[in-house]
Amino acid sequence: MNPNSNSSQSASYAAAGVDVTAGYEAVSRIKPLVASTVVPGVLGGIGDFGGMFEPQMQGMRRPVLVSGTDGVGTKLKLAFLMDKHDTVGIDCVAMCVNDIICSGALPMFFLDYIACGKNQPARIEAIVSGIAGGCRRAGCALIGGETAEMPGFYPEDEYDLAGFSVGLVDYDKRITSDRMEDGDILLGLGSSGVHSNGYSLVRKVLDINNTYDRYYGELGCTLGEELLKPTRIYVEAIRCLMECGIDIHGVSHITGGGLYENVPRMMPQGLTARINVNSIPQMPIFSIIQQAGNIPAHDMYNTFNMGVGMVLAVPRDHAGEAMNLLVQNGERVSVIGHVCKGEGGVEVLL
C-alpha cells in the first residue's frame, strides 16, 4: 500500500494514540536529510524494509566489519527541558562511530531508532537533522531507521534515541595493541565538553531543571547550552593519521567510566598507561560540576572524560608528527602521559 495514499488511515489506532499520518509526514520531512548523507555504496532509498549498502572493498586483502551501537542517555532530559532537539542526533552518531574508529575501521553506514510518546513531525525532523549532520562529519551514510510512536510508554513530549553503525577495515590495517611498547607516548584529543556520559550525576548535582538557563561567564554561555554541546566526532582525525602512515598502537574512546575504565581497554598485559592529569587542559564545566557536588577527583576521572575525548598511544618518534597532523585537522591535542611496564592498566596521577 502507498503510505501517502488517503486509504492508509486508522481511526481506531488514532484513538489509541498512534497517528500514522504523522509518521508519513515525518518521513517526508527527513527524506532530504537522509539524501544529504549518501556516499558511494548506498543502494535503494528511504522506505525500503532494510537499508542496503555495497561495501567498497577494492584493494582489501581481508575485509573486517566492525560494528557499534549506543544511545544518548539521560542527556536527552536536557534536550526536553530546553526544547532543543537538533544536536542530540550528533551525539548518537558520535557514540557509535567513535567506538568503531578505535579499531581503525571507517564507518560506512548508520541506522537510528527513535521511540516517542507522540510523533511530532517537526521534532522528528530536528532530531534527524542532527543524525544526518553527524553522519556527514563521520563520512558515513544514514541508510535507514525506525520511528516508533508508543503512547502510554513514553510521555508525549519525551523520546529515546539509539543508533547502530558498521565500519570496514582491512585485517592488516586494524589498530591493535600488539605493537604497543614501553615508552610509547599517550596523546589526548580534546573533548567538546561532557559529551554524552555522566548526565545522571550532572542532573543530580546541578539541578538542571532550575539552573539550565543560568549564564556562566567562564563558560561564555548558559549551563544548558554548555551541557547540550554535542559529542565530538574523531573519525576524520584518526583517518588522517592512518592515511599519513602514523603507527597508532592503541586508541581509547573516553566515555562512561572516564579514564579509569576506558584506557585499560586498549592496554595489553604487562603494560600500564601512566597519565598525569596536570597535562590535560582544564575545562570550566568540570570544575563547576565537581564544586557543586563536592565530588572527589577520583570520581570525576572515573565518570567524565574531563576534557579528553580520545586517548592515542603512538611511538615516541611519531608523536611530534602525529600532533602536527591532528592540529592541522582541527583537533586540540596534548601529551598526557606515556606507556610503561606494569600490570595496572592505567595509573592516573591526580
Side-chain angles (χ1 to χ4, degrees), residues 165-204:
S165 188
V166 174
L168 183 69
V169 63
D170 204 348
Y171 182 89
D172 292 333
K173 295 183 178 180
R174 293 171 303 138
I175 297 175
T176 69
S177 62
D178 295 347
R179 298 187 308 281
M180 193 181 294
E181 59 186 10
D182 183 11
D184 280 353
I185 298 299
L186 298 175
L187 303 179
L189 275 59
S191 70
S192 57
V194 184
H195 282 184
S196 298
N197 309 104
Y199 277 80
S200 294
L201 179 55
V202 168
R203 291 186 300 113
K204 177 183 178 183

Side-chain angles (χ1 to χ4, degrees), residues 126-348:
I127 296 168
V128 177
S129 73
I131 295 171
C135 285
R136 291 193 297 270
R137 294 184 193 184
C140 65
L142 176 59
I143 64 169
E146 177 69 18
T147 300
E149 191 172 17
M150 302 168 66
F153 194 88
Y154 293 97
E156 281 197 0
D157 288 331
E158 295 192 2
Y159 56 85
D160 200 4
L161 176 61
F164 170 79
S165 188
V166 174
L168 183 69
V169 63
D170 204 348
Y171 182 89
D172 292 333
K173 295 183 178 180
R174 293 171 303 138
I175 297 175
T176 69
S177 62
D178 295 347
R179 298 187 308 281
M180 193 181 294
E181 59 186 10
D182 183 11
D184 280 353
I185 298 299
L186 298 175
L187 303 179
L189 275 59
S191 70
S192 57
V194 184
H195 282 184
S196 298
N197 309 104
Y199 277 80
S200 294
L201 179 55
V202 168
R203 291 186 300 113
K204 177 183 178 183
V205 302
L206 294 182
D207 184 24
I208 63 171
N209 286 352
N210 298 309
T211 60
Y212 71 88
D213 58 351
R214 176 182 171 186
Y215 182 86
Y216 284 78
E218 59 267 50
L219 298 176
C221 60
T222 67
L223 179 64
E225 288 169 337
E226 174 67 27
L227 291 174
L228 209 54
K229 287 180 179 177
T231 304
R232 189 164 181 81
I233 292 175
Y234 299 100
V235 172
E236 187 56 36
I238 306 301
R239 181 208 299 260
C240 174
L241 295 182
M242 294 173 64
E243 291 180 349
C244 290
I246 299 298
D247 188 14
I248 306 173
H249 288 178
V251 181
S252 177
H253 182 200
I254 309 304
T255 56
L259 295 172
Y260 281 101
E261 287 192 16
N262 290 290
V263 173
R265 296 168 65 179
M266 74 174 186
M267 302 303 298
Q269 280 193 328
L271 293 176
T272 291
R274 183 168 291 160
I275 296 174
N276 188 339
V277 301
N278 292 326
S279 301
I280 300 174
Q282 299 300 299
M283 301 186 74
I285 184 59
F286 296 111
S287 297
I288 291 170
I289 295 169
Q290 183 173 13
Q291 291 169 13
N294 193 26
I295 303 170
H298 178 279
D299 291 1
M300 292 294 294
Y301 284 91
N302 207 161
T303 304
F304 303 106
N305 67 65
M306 298 303 288
V308 176
M310 275 204 166
V311 175
L312 279 60
V314 298
R316 184 175 293 274
D317 58 358
H318 282 200
E321 183 182 359
M323 291 184 72
N324 288 336
L325 288 168
L326 289 166
V327 170
Q328 291 170 18
N329 207 62
E331 299 297 330
R332 291 179 291 107
V333 58
S334 306
V335 175
I336 63 171
H338 64 278
V339 175
C340 58
K341 293 180 180 179
E343 294 295 340
V346 64
E347 295 178 9
V348 181

Side-chain angles (χ1 to χ4, degrees), residues 72-130:
V72 181
T74 62
K75 185 175 185 176
L76 292 175
K77 288 286 190 180
L78 186 57
F80 305 154
L81 278 172
M82 297 178 65
D83 194 23
K84 181 173 173 57
H85 311 280
D86 59 348
T87 60
V88 289
I90 300 173
D91 289 292
C92 192
V93 175
M95 296 303 290
C96 297
V97 299
N98 283 347
D99 280 353
I100 288 172
I101 197 64
C102 288
S103 301
L106 298 177
M108 298 182 294
F109 57 82
F110 183 87
L111 290 90
D112 65 78
Y113 176 74
I114 305 169
C116 56
K118 182 176 177 59
N119 190 329
Q120 302 178 47
R123 178 176 291 184
I124 299 299
E125 180 183 14
I127 296 168
V128 177
S129 73

